[in-house]
Structure formats: structure tokens, C-alpha cells
Amino acid sequence: MDKIISLDNVLWKRDGEEILKGINWEVNSGEHWAILGLNGSGKTSLLNIVTGYNYPTSGKVSVLGTEFGKASLPEMRRKIGFVSNALGKFQQTMSRETAKNIVLSGKFASFGIYEEITSEDERQAGNILKELRIEYISDKRYAVLSQGEQRRVLLGRALMSTPELLILDEPCAGLDVLAREDVLSVTESVAQDKLPLLYVTHHIEEITDVITHVLLIRDGTIVAKGRKQTVLTSEILSKAYKIPVKLHWESGRPWMSVERTHKESRWMK
């Protein structure tokens, strides 16, 4: 499949207010995208469109060959692996489960094992735990794991269904530097297996070598989109973040600092 995501002039309103407007965006096979923007810029709303939990007010959407309005969205969702802090609402249930059981539950899109597990399922879960370098916590309860280990377990759960698209929504939020770099490292190894990736964040230093493209959102509209070397400039980022910033590259990753100047107010407009 060459075209993974296609949004054509998408508008989405909530309570009469335009949250997303004029969204034109394509993700093609072999591309890994970072989605950047301030809190409230529309990143989550965009994800909800892509995953079919929000239906566009107008415009056309196609994800993984499913054209909205012409095919089953629940069937499409089963092809998407999703990791988000929103999964924290299942914390109480997950806390009682082992890391391996949580990974296994990804096959059934559940939290907890309620269906028969086959020997092939066990083998696949074991391989995923090994790939994510967490086989040593296989039999430990989720509640006793570090935050970094928990994020990797949730990533493993998302991979268990053999998805055709992987979405990571701020997977490093709240992590210390060591845990963040560990999660970024395993994310790179997963994406290098050609699984299309959407990586949502507002910290550009989390954009590693594996990310090929960047989508920048401000106030529900697209500021810039394209290859990361083209989109990630001081001027473009300043417009997206509404404050003067300076960008530099180090070890193949972008880093940003704020420039406090008398011209700052013009970016707020």
C-alpha cells in the first residue's frame, strides 16, 4: 500500500467551533512522521480523525485503504497500533497483570486476557518482549515497573496485533532523560522494520534519525509539512510555537532554545 493516510481539505468542528480547518496531508509508504505543535494546537483532534474516533465535518479521509463513509472504521482501527497517555485510565486493571499478559492482550484489543492464548501467541509475545529489550520483566506485575518499562510494555501491546500503522502519542511524557532515550531507542528499532510511524510530541529533541517527515500544527491549521530538514528551521518553528526560537542540529537530532528579544511579541499574533 503506497498511500497510508490521505486527508483532503478536512474541517472538524466541535460545538460549532472550528478545531481543525483546511487540513491537507498525505503519509506514504516508507515515511515516518513527527507531529509537532503546542498544547491545544489540534494534535489530538487530528489523531482522533486518523483513528476514526472523530468524523470530519467536511472533507475526505482515507486511512490504510479505508475511505471514511464507505468502509468499516472498527475494522480499520484493528490495523492501528496506538500508545498514548490516555491508556492510563486502564491503570487499575493493568496494575494486576504481568508485562507479558499486557503484551498478549494486544491481540484482542483488551486489557486482561479473556480469550484462549495459543502457543503461537506466546511465542510472538516473547519475541516482542525480546525485541523491546524487556524480556527480563516478562513475569513482573505492571504496577512495579518503572515508567520507562511501562511505556515499552504498552508499545509491545500495540505491536502484538501486527499493525499496519503505529501511532505514538507523546510516549516520553513524564519520563526522565535515561528512560526517554531508552524509549526512543526501541522506537527507532521498531520503525526501521518499515512499520509506518506517527510520532506526536511538542519536544523536537525527540525527533530521532528514523523520523523522515514533520507536520507542524498551529491553532488547528498546518504551518508546514514535509521532510524534516526543510520544515525544522528557526523561522518556521518560531511561527508554530508563537515565540522566537533558535534551532541547531547535534548528532543528527534537532534541538531548540528560546530567544528572548524585543521582537518576541510579533510571533504571538
Side-chain angles (χ1 to χ4, degrees):
M1 183 185 301
D2 293 331
K3 190 172 295 184
I4 308 301
I5 298 171
S6 176
L7 276 66
D8 181 9
N9 200 27
V10 166
L11 169 72
W12 183 65
K13 293 183 180 181
R14 181 180 59 201
D15 298 328
E17 180 183 359
E18 293 184 352
I19 306 301
L20 295 173
K21 42 192 176 293
I23 302 296
N24 293 288
W25 179 42
E26 288 188 357
V27 175
N28 298 301
S29 180
E31 299 175 351
H32 302 303
W33 285 75
I35 302 174
L36 299 176
L38 295 172
N39 289 336
S41 62
K43 300 190 302 296
T44 299
S45 297
L46 181 63
L47 285 190
N48 287 338
I49 292 284
V50 170
T51 53
Y53 289 106
N54 284 344
Y55 202 86
T57 305
S58 63
K60 296 181 180 180
V61 178
S62 176
V63 178
L64 296 173
T66 299
E67 187 174 342
F68 285 28
K70 296 184 178 181
S72 169
L73 295 187
E75 183 65 27
M76 178 203 74
R77 293 188 197 109
R78 284 194 280 270
K79 301 176 184 178
I80 299 175
F82 188 57
V83 177
S84 170
N85 284 334
L87 298 178
K89 61 186 176 183
F90 301 104
Q91 182 80 20
Q92 186 173 358
T93 300
M94 290 191 293
S95 293
R96 299 190 295 266
E97 299 286 347
T98 64
K100 186 174 184 179
N101 277 351
I102 290 176
V103 171
L104 282 166
S105 72
K107 178 183 178 180
F108 312 106
S110 64
F111 286 96
I113 306 296
Y114 308 107
E115 301 183 45
E116 184 179 355
I117 297 297
T118 67
S119 57
E120 175 60 25
D121 295 334
E122 293 273 2
R123 185 196 64 79
Q124 182 182 354
N127 287 341
I128 289 173
L129 289 163
K130 185 176 181 180
E131 180 183 6
L132 299 182
R133 304 195 294 271
I134 50 175
E135 65 269 29
Y136 65 94
I137 62 170
S138 176
D139 296 322
K140 290 186 177 182
R141 287 189 304 110
Y142 187 82
V144 303
L145 305 181
S146 70
Q147 279 191 311
E149 290 169 337
Q150 289 180 349
R151 299 293 167 81
R152 282 185 281 167
V153 168
L154 292 178
L155 176 56
R157 178 182 177 275
L159 295 174
M160 186 65 194
S161 62
T162 315
E164 297 178 25
L165 171 65
L166 180 62
I167 299 177
L168 304 182
D169 184 11
E170 300 191 19
C172 296
L175 299 184
D176 61 31
V177 172
L178 179 60
R180 181 191 71 179
E181 293 303 310
D182 207 12
V183 169
L184 291 176
S185 176
V186 297
T187 299
E188 279 196 296
S189 66
V190 167
Q192 285 171 352
D193 290 334
K194 305 304 180 184
L195 175 62
L197 172 67
L198 301 186
Y199 188 98
V200 182
T201 183
H202 49 257
H203 298 292
I204 68 167
E205 65 272 14
E206 294 177 13
I207 297 177
T208 58
D209 286 345
V210 77
I211 298 295
T212 59
H213 292 68
V214 171
L215 179 73
L216 268 174
I217 302 179
R218 170 177 165 165
D219 299 332
T221 63
I222 295 176
V223 174
K225 60 185 176 182
R227 290 200 167 273
K228 63 181 178 182
Q229 293 85 354
T230 302
V231 172
L232 296 179
T233 68
S234 299
E235 182 177 3
I236 293 175
L237 288 169
S238 295
K239 291 179 180 177
Y241 286 110
K242 304 182 182 183
I243 192 170
V245 300
K246 185 176 182 179
L247 180 82
H248 74 278
W249 294 82
E250 186 174 330
S251 301
R253 284 167 63 178
W255 300 80
M256 185 176 72
S257 58
V258 175
E259 288 194 309
R260 297 289 182 181
T261 72
H262 66 281
K263 298 179 181 179
E264 189 172 299
S265 60
R266 71 188 177 97
W267 299 105
M268 302 300 291
K269 297 180 181 179

